[in-house]
């Protein structure tokens, strides 16, 4: 819903989306930082001239700032207290926060015209009730979704069948691969960093799925639990043990990667967690990975194709083909420049989409 009141929170979102500090925005617009600070804190209403300056610099239409929808903070799984990965700079976190909020605004408007039903249930598992047995939880979900034994061919398909929206985003080259959200008026949504290999995307989706089914309420150990869930869901114990029969070598891991569509390193970590490697064997294999310079880039010939989510593109198809919108009209109701809309959602600018 749009209003006549300037939304101070959307000024913050717009500024963060353009990777600008408050001081940087002040310099670019000629407005004082003190004035901008008061606007962002809701103490001052900007004049029409001031709003126009913000529009010109931030490249968001004026209507963007007059939406009445609330904005959302990032979930605790992104907070350093819960994350074990390398630290992510505050400006990068703010930009991700802005990207996600802009997309949430878009999705909420688009879903108003859509009848959306999931084909698979998305259950909730209390980790304590299962004695912290993540393997059992992952196995139960696979059985609930009637997933055949062995590798999952297309994980994205199963998540979308369960009503989970997957949105590709450009988070840059940082250690945040995906963020799951559950906000009112939207199905569960995973915002996925598109700047990662296909095998890592699958592990990220499994990780965020773990959060969605196990962590409606945050717990201190949630990141480890989510990783263990992803490993168990994608590489079930009784199935992966067959693949690990015999000696585990670097070449063996390379041969298993296209079968399980999981990185060599994730396979190695799974083998270690199942007690199939001694300390020295595990150490030797990691030394080999470092020696061959594949820790950060596994051999290109083993790359796993990236899975393509379809729900978001289908929603745009409905608006453009069935409801009769054109891109200019969609960009207007979503309060974003047409070219930026096409870039964000990989839409062919200047032409209609075709339903496949």
């Amino acid at each position: 819903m749009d209003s006549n009141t300037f939304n101070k929170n959307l000024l913050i979102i717009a500024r963060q989306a353009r990777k600008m500090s408050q001081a940087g925005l002040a310099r670019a617009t000629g407005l004082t930082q003190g004035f901008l600070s008061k606007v962002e804190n809701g103490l001052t209403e900007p004049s029409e001239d001031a709003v126009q300056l913000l529009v010109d610099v931030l490249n968001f239409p004026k209507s963007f700032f007059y939406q009445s929808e609330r904005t959302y903070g990032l979930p605790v799984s992104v907070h350093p207290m819960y994350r074990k990965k390398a630290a992510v700079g505050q400006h990068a976190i703010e930009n991700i926060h802005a990207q996600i909020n802009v997309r949430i605004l878009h999705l909420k408007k688009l879903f108003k015209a859509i009848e959306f039903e999931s084909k698979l249930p998305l259950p909730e598992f209390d980790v304590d009730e299962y004695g912290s047995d993540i393997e059992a939880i992952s196995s139960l979900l696979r059985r609930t979704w009637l997933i055949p034994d062995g590798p999952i061919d297309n994980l994205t398909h199963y998540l979308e069948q369960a009503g989970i929206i997957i949105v590709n985003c450009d988070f840059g080259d940082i250690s945040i691969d995906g963020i799951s959200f559950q906000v009112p008026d939207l199905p569960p949504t995973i915002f996925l960093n598109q700047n990662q290999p296909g095998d890592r995307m699958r592990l990220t989706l499994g990780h965020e799925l773990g959060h969605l089914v196990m962590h409606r309420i945050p717990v201190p150990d949630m990141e480890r639990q989510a990783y263990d869930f992803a490993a168990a869901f994608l590489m079930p114990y009784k199935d992966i043990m067959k693949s690990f029969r015999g000696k585990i070598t670097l070449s063996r891991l390379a041969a298993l990667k296209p079968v399980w569509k999981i990185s060599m390193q994730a396979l190695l970590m799974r083998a270690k967690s199942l007690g199939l490697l001694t300390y020295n064997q595990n150490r030797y294999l990691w030394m080999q990975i470092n020696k061959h310079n594949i820790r950060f880039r596994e051999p290109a010939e083993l790359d796993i194709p990236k899975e393509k989510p379809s729900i978001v593109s289908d929603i745009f198809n409905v608006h453009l083909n069935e409801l009769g919108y054109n891109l200019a009209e969609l960009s207007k109701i979503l309060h974003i420049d047409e070219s930026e809309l096409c870039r964000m959602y990989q839409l062919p600018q200047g032409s209609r989409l075709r339903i496949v």
Side-chain angles (χ1 to χ4, degrees):
M1 182 181 297
D2 303 333
S3 72
N4 295 319
T5 303
F6 187 88
N7 190 330
K8 62 185 180 64
N9 294 318
L10 291 181
L11 172 57
I12 297 172
I13 293 299
R15 175 171 60 75
Q16 292 175 344
R18 302 309 183 215
K19 301 180 180 180
M20 297 184 74
S21 65
Q22 199 177 76
L25 181 58
R27 288 191 295 270
T29 58
L31 301 169
T32 67
Q33 185 177 354
F35 171 77
L36 290 175
S37 177
K38 289 181 180 180
V39 172
E40 291 188 1
N41 282 297
L43 300 177
T44 297
E45 185 81 10
S47 66
E48 289 189 12
D49 288 343
V51 171
Q52 189 59 52
L53 288 170
L54 295 171
V55 167
D56 293 341
V57 170
L58 295 172
N59 195 29
F60 277 93
K62 182 179 179 180
S63 60
F64 175 84
F65 300 99
Y66 290 90
Q67 299 175 84
S68 59
E69 288 278 3
R70 62 159 290 190
T71 57
Y72 296 89
L74 293 174
V76 293
S77 61
V78 184
H79 192 281
M81 173 182 175
Y82 293 93
R83 291 179 56 78
K84 305 302 181 184
K85 295 182 180 181
V88 179
Q90 182 61 30
H91 290 306
I93 291 287
E94 289 176 351
N95 180 251
I96 290 171
H97 170 249
Q99 284 196 55
I100 288 176
N101 270 281
V102 169
R103 284 167 171 81
I104 287 175
L105 288 170
H106 294 168
L107 292 174
K108 281 194 169 187
K109 287 184 180 294
L110 293 170
F111 265 88
K112 287 179 180 178
I114 300 294
E115 293 184 5
F116 183 76
E117 294 183 3
S118 59
K119 297 180 180 179
L120 294 173
L122 186 64
E124 180 180 351
F125 300 101
D126 187 315
V127 177
D128 291 335
E129 287 184 4
Y130 287 86
S132 298
D133 190 342
I134 307 299
E135 198 86 34
I137 292 173
S138 68
S139 177
L140 181 56
L141 184 59
R142 282 182 68 117
R143 294 200 303 273
T144 301
W145 287 356
L146 303 178
I147 298 177
D149 294 341
I152 296 177
D153 182 58
N154 190 323
L155 179 60
T156 296
H157 171 75
Y158 282 105
L159 268 63
E160 292 195 320
Q161 289 279 298
I164 299 171
I165 311 301
I166 301 171
V167 185
N168 285 335
C169 302
D170 184 2
F171 291 164
D173 186 19
I174 62 174
S175 64
I176 294 179
D177 298 327
I179 302 173
S180 52
F181 261 79
Q182 297 194 76
V183 300
D185 304 320
L186 277 182
T189 307
I190 296 175
F191 297 93
L192 186 65
N193 190 353
Q194 63 194 21
N195 302 305
Q196 53 184 319
D199 55 86
R200 187 165 165 179
M201 276 186 168
R202 282 167 55 89
L203 196 64
T204 298
L205 287 174
H207 183 105
E208 297 307 320
L209 175 62
H211 282 317
L212 289 173
V213 299
M214 297 189 301
H215 299 140
R216 305 295 170 92
I217 298 176
V219 296
D221 205 22
M222 62 191 297
E223 287 303 295
R224 182 196 62 79
Q225 291 177 354
Y227 178 84
D228 290 347
F229 174 90
F233 193 73
L234 289 165
M235 299 171 280
Y237 170 80
K238 65 183 181 65
D239 299 323
I240 198 67
M241 288 293 285
K242 299 173 186 176
S243 295
F244 282 147
R245 285 175 183 165
K247 187 177 181 180
I248 298 175
T249 62
L250 213 60
S251 58
R252 182 77 175 280
L253 296 173
L256 290 175
K257 178 174 179 176
V259 175
W260 289 91
K261 299 184 178 182
I262 291 295
S263 71
M264 296 168 62
Q265 294 166 77
L267 286 160
L268 174 55
M269 292 172 70
R270 182 65 166 151
K272 178 64 170 64
S273 71
L274 294 175
L276 301 178
L277 296 169
T278 66
Y279 171 82
N280 286 333
Q281 288 172 330
N282 182 63
R283 182 171 178 269
Y284 173 76
L285 287 170
W286 281 110
M287 289 173 62
Q288 289 294 301
I289 286 173
N290 288 325
K291 177 182 177 181
H292 292 282
N293 295 317
I294 59 174
R295 183 148 196 165
F296 299 104
R297 181 64 173 93
E298 295 186 358
E301 61 270 21
L302 298 177
D303 282 354
I304 305 300
K306 296 181 180 181
E307 297 175 357
K308 296 181 179 180
S310 62
I311 290 178
V312 173
S313 60
D314 286 346
I315 290 173
F316 276 103
N317 271 327
V318 168
H319 281 79
L320 290 166
N321 292 286
E322 297 183 18
L323 300 181
Y325 285 88
N326 57 41
L327 285 173
E329 291 168 335
L330 274 183
S331 64
K332 183 177 181 179
I333 68 169
L334 298 179
H335 307 286
I336 192 169
D337 180 78
E338 184 176 327
S339 61
E340 186 168 10
L341 177 68
C342 292
R343 177 184 59 78
M344 289 177 67
Y345 298 104
Q346 293 81 54
L347 303 177
Q349 191 168 2
S351 62
R352 285 185 174 271
L353 298 182
R354 179 173 60 88
I355 296 179
V356 179

